[in-house]
Amino acid sequence: MSKERAVRRAEREREAAVVAAARAAAAERRERREARLRVVTSRLPRRRARPRGVLAERRRKQVWATGLLLLLANVLVFAFSTGWAERALALAITPLAAPVLYTMLFRRT
């Protein structure tokens, strides 16, 4: 009876050793992969944190709204104009009109 228990215990220990070796190999692969990733990402520029808060969120929404209005204006010009001169003029005026439109729409008093 004790020989059978010893055999079963040895078998369990052998299986546990196989599982532990597989776990150690997986951990080693994961560590090597993370090390390679750290080497690659250490050379990349860090992302700056985006400002949070009510005011920053409001400003982001206002900038998006201004951009969408200017995009809509350009789409309308492209849809209803026949010559490339008007289209080029609209594209050239858009960056100049953006701050003016932003100020007119969201003026602080």
Side-chain angles (χ1 to χ4, degrees):
M1 195 69 163
S2 64
K3 287 184 181 180
E4 291 176 14
R5 282 189 291 209
V7 168
R8 284 188 296 217
R9 183 178 63 238
E11 187 176 318
R12 279 194 313 269
E13 289 174 355
R14 208 175 10 246
E15 289 174 2
V18 168
V19 169
R23 194 175 296 135
E28 184 180 343
R29 281 193 307 272
R30 184 171 47 250
E31 185 61 36
R32 283 196 312 257
R33 184 178 66 234
E34 289 172 358
R36 283 193 309 267
L37 188 63
R38 275 192 303 273
V39 167
V40 170
T41 57
S42 68
R43 296 187 177 144
L44 296 175
R46 301 272 185 246
R47 286 185 66 173
R48 291 186 296 163
R50 189 168 80 169
R52 292 186 214 136
V54 177
L55 296 177
E57 184 67 28
R58 183 187 314 164
R59 180 176 169 88
R60 253 192 308 280
K61 287 180 182 178
Q62 290 172 351
V63 168
W64 269 99
T66 305
L68 288 176
L69 284 174
L70 290 170
L71 179 68
L72 178 66
N74 279 314
V75 167
L76 290 174
V77 167
F78 267 72
F80 294 114
S81 67
T82 56
W84 284 101
E86 296 94 8
R87 294 174 179 174
L89 184 63
L91 286 176
I93 289 176
T94 298
L96 299 172
V100 174
L101 183 64
Y102 181 84
T103 304
M104 288 173 54
L105 289 176
F106 308 108
R107 182 184 321 166
R108 297 182 197 149
T109 56

